[in-house]
Amino acid sequence: MKRGWYRLSPTSALLTIGVTVLLLLNANAMYQDYLYTKEIRTSTPSGSSLAERYLILGGWPASKEHDFVSSDIDYPIRVNSNNASQKERE
Amino acid sequence: MSKNRDSNDSRARALLLRVFFRTLAILMLFTVILFNFKSSLQVYSVMSLASTMNSLDSDSLAAYGLLYDIIFFFCVLIAIHIIWSGIITVSTRSPWFPLKSKNQKELYWMLFVVLNITCLIAVNSYFFPTSLVSYFRHTPVSEPLVWGGLASFLVISFYRGLFHLTTKSVALCISLLLIAGVLSPFISISQTRAQAQKDPNIIILGIDGLRPDHLKYLGADPKIAPNLNRVLDSMTVYKNAYTPQGRTYVAWMSLLTGKYPVNNGIRFNLAPPEMVNKTLPFIELLKERGYNTTYAIDERRFNQIDSSYGFNNTVGPKAGAADALISGLGDLPYLNILLLHPYSSYILPYLYNNRAYGKAYSPIAFNKAVIESLAHEAPNFLALHYCQLHWPYTSKDFISQPLENWDGNYNHYMYKEMIRSVDKQVADLFARLSQEGMLDDAIVYIISDHGESFKLPTFKTPVPQNLKAFPKTKSWGHGTNILDQQQSLILLARAEFKNGTVVTPAQKIDGLYSLVDIVPTLVSSLAISSTGISSASASRLNTASFDGITLPWTAEQVSHQRYVVVESSVPVKSINKSFIDKKEVMSETASNYEVRDDGKAYMRTKNYIELIAKKQRAIYFQNWQLSLLPDYDSPVLLNTATNEIYDTDNYRGDFNWQPMMRALCSQYKEDPGFDPHASCTEFIISHNTRN
């Protein structure tokens, strides 16, 4: 009876697993970053938090010690309300 | 047999080439994937920025210099891919274990390609956490042991392949060349210290946007900038100093000429060359006295001072319109890693030592480049400007401030964070200068070119006194509003060093000062006279033509009868906001600028003259500011001590502002479009009538 399965040698199997693991490692890390940005992104064009604003300006908000996007630390950007006592012309 | 051998050789070469081109294709695909990945993370991609540049006319986009820079950059990218493909191809020539089938060889090759990519991203993630393509940040892969081990394995694999393909002597030569090339910039040959000269070194350190109210001498928390505060504690600090204009290039040109912008002709950043007299008499004079002159700045987008202004050396990134595009495209792992090496300044001149490409900018590497430009056998004039405090506050490392310091004001928070980084950079600079012997006999100035307004609640809005309507007194940024004192107040401090120690008094001096005072003071300090210099220099050096004064050393020398003039820059609505949208800025301003054949962006001459008419102009006297605003029909008087604001039509106080008005009108009377409300004319008529 003919075997229906392609027989891999151990070397080929290990090489295949190695390539697959590395590709998945890269793909997963990229996907995680993409998901993080989707989580922090809001409808405010200028960004509503420190991390989101930094991302909009072109950098990932991470230091050597801390990744602010994947953490729960939220630094919300304060939006100034109009002060009726101020008579400044805009 | 020899025919068989030749046939085998040519088959092997063909196979090698096939592997090489296949590798090249995969690596280029990887780069395309990275570009798309970055675009998916960012709201604005580089391509949308490029589309915004459609507001530039086609002549600008076709400028030879700009095209050359962009093509050069892409050639470097392609060269990197070719070299990297070659390395991977060679690495797979001597497998670590027997490969019996073609399939196994292909898998082995694929493994090496992916290992290289993984290692590259891991190294990028470790060194550049703010890079968008550092997707391994804070994972085990980015730990030095992991990527270090991986990199070692790849290097050994490369050498195995190299030995397989060539002879041992060829492989050894290649290795020695690589090692020499990589390591030579980092091997410091011990130099003798700077030799004693008859003239002192002159060092003018500028810190972009540094607000004096964030420094200890004006009551700020000393921990914000401990090193800078320590240096300033030993210097003479001039407490009420103003910039002639809150723009870096204009401020520096005023400093270097000793003249206000209205008198030296340089009224805006990116001034067209035909409006600029690049001959700096003071620099020419110093060179004649044997000085080695250096201008160093770590961002060149808006300050194009270079060797054509007479400096012997310039340090910093290349200046050109391609900067914005290349900085946007440049966030790629192999480019970032190459930027760790000083030789990358030759192949990536727009990215190396460029603060605007903050993710890969090293303040220490910039300091090293500055120190290397100094001469040991001649006195030095070093004009140096740090730009880390300038928007958008990007850096290699993100914030380290605790949450309790967050007040919701993004720009101010990031600004305070970058003050820490600049503070360390200043400390490093002084340590290096001392080590080189540059402070054995030196005159040092520390200045800021302008302040920065964040609409802070602590800076009270002026109290209106009988105003017809309230002029805008608070704005974002710098150079946008002369009524906003946060923009125009600057740091101005000086000291003289002997044998590494300050020998002049540590003190704070009252009075009114400006950046235009520095050159006249240096002329006086160096006791420069008409004798002993060439007639050309003597005729250029006419101290009566300086707008500045000699800075006093004691309170008794202070003149309280002095005027200081300040003007605003281009009124750009899109930068007068808490969030600066780059696309909006480009749309609003691109039509004012053009790119010329040298690849640099300049303001159009027609716009240059038109925009002068829209300037705000102010004069200070003691604690008063008198301003003429294009959109306000009477002069505005502000008391900087009491924070009360008036318009002169309704002012009934005791202060005699008329001499200020006379001085302001006299200063700007030749300016195009000056005084659209005829305030000067009416003032002169009413003054003559009274007399």
Side-chain angles (χ1 to χ4, degrees):
Chain A
M1 189 167 84
K2 271 191 180 174
R3 281 180 185 263
W5 303 102
Y6 180 68
R7 293 188 67 189
L8 285 177
S9 68
T11 306
S12 299
L14 280 170
L15 287 170
T16 307
I17 289 168
V19 170
T20 308
V21 164
L22 285 171
L23 284 173
L24 285 176
L25 189 69
N26 279 270
N28 179 61
M30 289 167 94
Y31 184 61
Q32 289 302 320
D33 273 9
Y34 172 71
L35 284 180
Y36 287 140
T37 56
K38 275 191 79 172
E39 266 176 37
I40 67 164
R41 197 167 308 161
T42 62
S43 55
T44 312
S46 57
S48 61
S49 68
L50 177 69
E52 189 187 358
R53 173 76 67 90
Y54 198 79
L55 195 64
I56 288 169
L57 291 173
W60 188 273
S63 62
K64 277 207 156 73
E65 289 77 34
H66 202 79
D67 187 346
F68 288 80
V69 167
S70 60
S71 73
D72 289 330
I73 296 176
D74 182 17
Y75 291 44
I77 291 175
R78 177 172 48 86
V79 176
N80 285 329
S81 56
N82 283 335
N83 185 345
S85 66
Q86 283 191 1
K87 300 192 188 73
E88 284 187 334
R89 272 187 294 129
E90 288 295 325
Chain B
M1 259 181 80
S2 68
K3 264 192 188 170
N4 277 342
R5 202 169 35 238
D6 287 344
S7 163
N8 284 340
D9 285 347
S10 67
R11 258 208 303 275
R13 269 197 296 275
L15 178 65
L16 203 63
L17 277 175
R18 220 173 20 248
V19 172
F20 169 77
F21 282 111
R22 205 168 45 186
T23 311
L24 184 62
I26 294 278
L27 294 181
M28 286 191 156
L29 176 65
F30 169 65
T31 296
V32 169
I33 290 171
L34 283 183
F35 274 125
N36 282 288
F37 173 64
K38 284 194 294 174
S39 295
S40 73
L41 301 180
Q42 281 184 283
V43 175
Y44 299 118
S45 72
V46 173
M47 295 320 293
S48 70
L49 186 59
S51 68
T52 303
M53 289 172 73
N54 281 336
S55 43
L56 285 172
D57 61 35
S58 52
D59 285 342
S60 288
L61 289 173
Y64 170 76
L66 176 62
L67 285 177
Y68 173 84
D69 286 337
I70 293 171
I71 291 170
F72 181 83
F73 173 73
F74 279 105
C75 286
V76 167
L77 266 189
I78 292 168
I80 289 169
H81 284 81
I82 289 172
I83 292 168
W84 193 15
S85 305
I87 290 170
I88 294 174
T89 305
V90 168
S91 302
T92 57
R93 291 303 91 198
S94 179
W96 286 88
F97 40 82
L99 300 172
K100 292 188 181 125
S101 66
K102 188 177 168 204
N103 185 49
Q104 286 182 1
K105 286 177 186 168
E106 306 243 324
L107 282 170
Y108 186 83
W109 162 79
M110 191 70 210
L111 182 70
F112 260 79
V113 170
V114 187
L115 272 175
N116 267 267
I117 288 171
T118 304
C119 184
L120 189 79
I121 300 292
V123 174
N124 193 67
S125 301
Y126 176 76
F127 284 106
F128 309 102
T130 58
S131 163
L132 289 178
V133 293
S134 289
Y135 50 77
F136 284 141
R137 63 182 85 74
H138 300 290
T139 67
V141 181
S142 66
E143 293 298 322
L145 271 179
V146 174
W147 60 256
L150 191 52
S152 304
F153 170 73
L154 293 173
V155 167
I156 295 169
S157 302
F158 170 71
Y159 271 103
R160 281 170 59 95
L162 195 62
F163 281 122
H164 180 80
L165 286 173
T166 64
T167 61
K168 278 197 180 145
S169 50
V170 168
L172 198 60
C173 279
I174 293 173
S175 305
L176 286 172
L177 279 170
L178 277 174
I179 289 168
V182 168
L183 291 181
S184 61
F186 300 106
I187 300 168
S188 57
I189 300 161
S190 61
Q191 286 183 329
T192 53
R193 284 164 64 85
Q195 296 168 11
Q197 308 293 331
K198 66 171 171 50
D199 283 324
N201 293 314
I202 302 169
I203 297 157
I204 304 176
L205 168 61
I207 301 173
D208 197 284
L210 179 61
R211 289 172 55 139
D213 64 350
H214 281 53
L215 297 169
K216 185 178 125 191
Y217 77 90
L218 282 185
D221 182 355
K223 292 196 289 290
I224 294 175
N227 299 299
L228 192 50
N229 284 323
R230 197 166 32 251
V231 173
L232 291 174
D233 278 346
S234 65
M235 299 179 83
T236 296
V237 179
Y238 300 91
K239 283 168 64 178
N240 301 303
Y242 290 88
T243 178
Q245 191 192 108
R247 293 285 171 208
T248 304
Y249 174 61
V250 179
W252 266 99
M253 289 303 288
S254 291
L255 187 163
L256 292 170
T257 57
K259 295 184 182 182
Y260 291 121
V262 65
N263 294 329
N264 68 25
I266 296 152
R267 310 300 295 277
F268 299 106
N269 280 351
L270 304 181
E274 58 271 19
M275 309 295 289
V276 175
N277 181 358
K278 289 188 179 181
T279 304
L280 298 171
F282 183 61
I283 300 302
E284 296 305 314
L285 189 77
L286 288 177
K287 280 164 42 176
E288 203 177 294
R289 276 171 80 108
Y291 271 83
N292 173 60
T293 58
T294 300
Y295 191 83
I297 184 167
D298 55 7
E299 179 180 344
R300 305 291 300 286
R301 285 183 183 180
F302 301 107
N303 185 342
Q304 305 198 35
I305 298 175
D306 58 17
S307 302
S308 64
Y309 287 70
F311 289 92
N312 297 114
N313 315 294
T314 45
V315 178
K318 186 174 176 181
D323 184 323
L325 190 64
I326 291 175
S327 300
L329 292 169
D331 188 7
L332 293 167
Y334 32 82
L335 296 184
N336 291 337
I337 291 166
L338 277 176
L339 288 171
L340 291 171
H341 197 281
Y343 285 171
S344 63
S345 60
Y346 298 107
I347 55 169
L348 299 169
Y350 279 108
L351 297 180
Y352 187 72
N353 273 344
N354 188 355
R355 196 281 330 177
Y357 185 59
K359 333 178 164 168
Y361 171 70
S362 165
I364 306 303
F366 180 71
N367 279 355
K368 279 189 191 166
V370 169
I371 297 295
E372 277 164 19
S373 73
L374 301 177
H376 283 76
E377 296 83 33
N380 289 280
F381 174 81
L382 170 62
L384 162 62
H385 196 66
Y386 291 151
C387 294
Q388 285 195 86
L389 282 188
H390 195 287
W391 179 91
Y393 314 112
T394 52
S395 63
K396 265 170 130 180
D397 244 355
F398 194 45
I399 62 171
S400 59
Q401 294 220 62
L403 179 59
E404 49 264 28
N405 289 343
W406 173 249
D407 61 356
N409 186 325
Y410 174 87
N411 288 349
H412 189 224
Y413 191 79
M414 295 303 295
Y415 177 86
K416 285 187 293 185
E417 183 66 19
M418 296 316 293
I419 288 182
R420 291 166 182 257
S421 185
V422 168
D423 186 64
K424 289 179 191 160
Q425 192 175 21
V426 169
D428 179 76
L429 175 75
F430 273 86
R432 288 177 194 275
L433 287 171
S434 180
Q435 206 174 346
E436 296 291 313
M438 295 296 163
L439 296 180
D440 288 350
D441 185 15
I443 299 171
V444 175
Y445 284 80
I446 303 182
I447 60 139
S448 40
D449 57 342
H450 51 74
E452 187 74 20
S453 181
F454 302 104
K455 287 197 171 184
L456 296 178
T458 47
F459 220 96
K460 299 288 176 226
T461 303
V463 179
Q465 308 287 320
N466 299 322
L467 284 167
K468 295 189 289 289
F470 199 95
K472 197 168 172 193
T473 57
K474 272 191 179 179
S475 301
W476 291 96
H478 51 270
T480 56
N481 187 345
I482 52 169
L483 290 179
D484 193 333
Q485 308 304 305
Q486 301 169 83
Q487 297 191 5
S488 308
L489 278 165
I490 58 167
L491 167 66
L492 175 55
R494 69 161 167 162
E496 290 181 11
F497 284 74
K498 295 278 185 227
N499 299 319
T501 313
V502 175
V503 296
T504 45
Q507 59 189 332
K508 313 290 178 277
I509 291 194
D510 283 319
L512 268 187
Y513 305 99
S514 168
L515 289 178
V516 299
D517 297 333
I518 292 176
V519 160
T521 307
L522 284 169
V523 167
S524 171
S525 298
L526 296 176
I528 293 174
S529 65
S530 298
T531 57
I533 58 176
S534 68
S535 57
S537 288
S539 68
R540 280 191 222 119
L541 185 65
N542 178 354
T543 51
S545 69
F546 287 140
D547 291 325
I549 60 169
T550 303
L551 291 166
W553 275 121
T554 65
E556 290 72 36
Q557 293 171 337
V558 173
S559 163
H560 294 285
Q561 302 303 313
R562 193 248 170 127
Y563 297 120
V564 160
V565 169
V566 176
E567 62 181 57
S568 67
S569 186
V570 178
V572 178
K573 285 198 183 109
S574 51
I575 63 172
N576 195 352
K577 288 181 177 182
S578 63
F579 172 66
I580 298 176
D581 183 330
K582 284 182 271 194
K583 258 175 48 172
E584 214 177 303
V585 173
M586 287 293 290
S587 295
E588 187 181 348
T589 62
S591 58
N592 288 338
Y593 298 90
E594 59 184 352
V595 179
R596 296 201 184 173
D597 278 346
D598 60 0
K600 293 181 183 174
Y602 298 103
M603 187 177 275
R604 293 176 194 273
T605 311
K606 179 175 80 74
N607 296 83
Y608 193 85
I609 296 166
E610 279 171 7
L611 287 169
I612 289 175
K614 296 185 182 176
K615 279 182 174 289
Q616 301 173 327
R617 298 164 177 84
I619 194 164
Y620 287 84
F621 177 73
Q622 295 175 352
N623 56 309
W624 292 92
Q625 179 198 28
L626 181 73
S627 307
L628 284 175
L629 313 174
D631 55 353
Y632 203 75
D633 57 14
S634 52
V636 174
L637 194 62
L638 171 67
N639 187 321
T640 56
T642 62
N643 210 26
E644 288 167 341
I645 190 166
Y646 313 81
D647 65 54
T648 52
D649 288 349
N650 297 319
Y651 177 67
R652 301 288 175 264
D654 296 332
F655 176 66
N656 182 14
W657 55 270
Q658 284 82 1
M660 290 175 77
M661 186 71 181
R662 214 169 6 254
L664 185 62
C665 294
S666 171
Q667 183 77 249
Y668 286 106
K669 61 181 186 288
E670 306 294 334
D671 239 9
F674 172 60
D675 192 23
H677 305 290
S679 302
C680 285
T681 314
E682 286 170 14
F683 169 76
I684 290 165
I685 290 170
S686 67
H687 184 72
N688 288 341
T689 305
R690 274 203 295 276
N691 286 345

